[in-house]
Amino acid sequence: MFAATNKRSAGGFTLLELLVVMVIIGLLVGYVGPRYFAQIGKSEVKATRAQIDAFEKALDQYRLDTGRYPTTEQGLNVLNVRPENEAKWSGPYLRKAVPVDPWGNPYVYRSPGEHGEFDLLSYGKDGKIGGTGEDADITNW
């Protein structure tokens, strides 16, 4: 009257099967994870280069309007806010306020610059002068 039931046919996974799947997932994460995070670092460097390029264009437009680049003391903020005693200012030259770099540090602006009429740079991920890889300085020269 009663059919014999096999314990195996009850469904579900054994502990061994679950452990094998978890090991496979762990290996995949260990292989893919470092490559993924390396790409994030590269994209932050590319974003910084793009922002520096946008600042250069805005600074050139500022110079065309006023006849000179902003001083170091005025900084990049003059691209959004009219400086005092600047009648020829026709800004804002940027759509938004000057952002910080992708690592949360302010951009460095010097005018006159050591490498050109102005120097514009980010100190990279470490926020310090010099470095290599993601920690390297990103500059406009």
Side-chain angles (χ1 to χ4, degrees):
M1 188 162 194
F2 295 108
T5 59
N6 184 356
K7 291 182 181 180
R8 180 86 171 131
S9 66
F13 299 102
T14 66
L15 180 61
L16 182 60
E17 292 169 329
L18 289 173
L19 287 174
V20 167
V21 169
M22 291 186 68
V23 166
I24 291 171
I25 290 172
L27 290 172
L28 286 173
V29 168
Y31 180 73
V32 173
R35 293 174 186 259
Y36 172 75
F37 288 112
Q39 292 301 319
I40 290 175
K42 288 179 184 177
S43 67
E44 288 171 333
V45 170
K46 287 180 183 177
T48 303
R49 289 188 197 283
Q51 285 181 335
I52 287 175
D53 184 53
F55 295 150
E56 283 184 297
K57 290 175 181 165
L59 287 163
D60 287 340
Q61 186 63 47
Y62 178 92
R63 190 185 119 241
L64 287 172
D65 290 345
T66 63
R68 61 177 181 76
Y69 287 108
T71 64
T72 301
E73 292 76 27
Q74 289 174 315
L76 297 173
N77 289 330
V78 299
L79 298 175
N80 283 334
V81 179
R82 178 188 296 268
E84 293 182 25
N85 302 321
E86 189 59 69
K88 297 180 182 179
W89 188 85
S90 298
Y93 299 96
L94 295 173
R95 291 184 184 157
K96 298 179 181 178
V98 176
V100 293
D101 69 14
W103 302 280
N105 302 312
Y107 285 94
V108 177
Y109 171 76
R110 297 182 198 120
S111 179
E114 296 174 10
H115 303 277
E117 293 185 73
F118 64 87
D119 291 348
L120 188 55
L121 65 134
S122 164
Y123 289 131
K125 186 176 182 178
D126 65 354
K128 299 175 185 174
I129 295 173
T132 57
E134 289 180 41
D135 294 337
D137 298 346
I138 302 161
T139 66
N140 70 323
W141 62 87

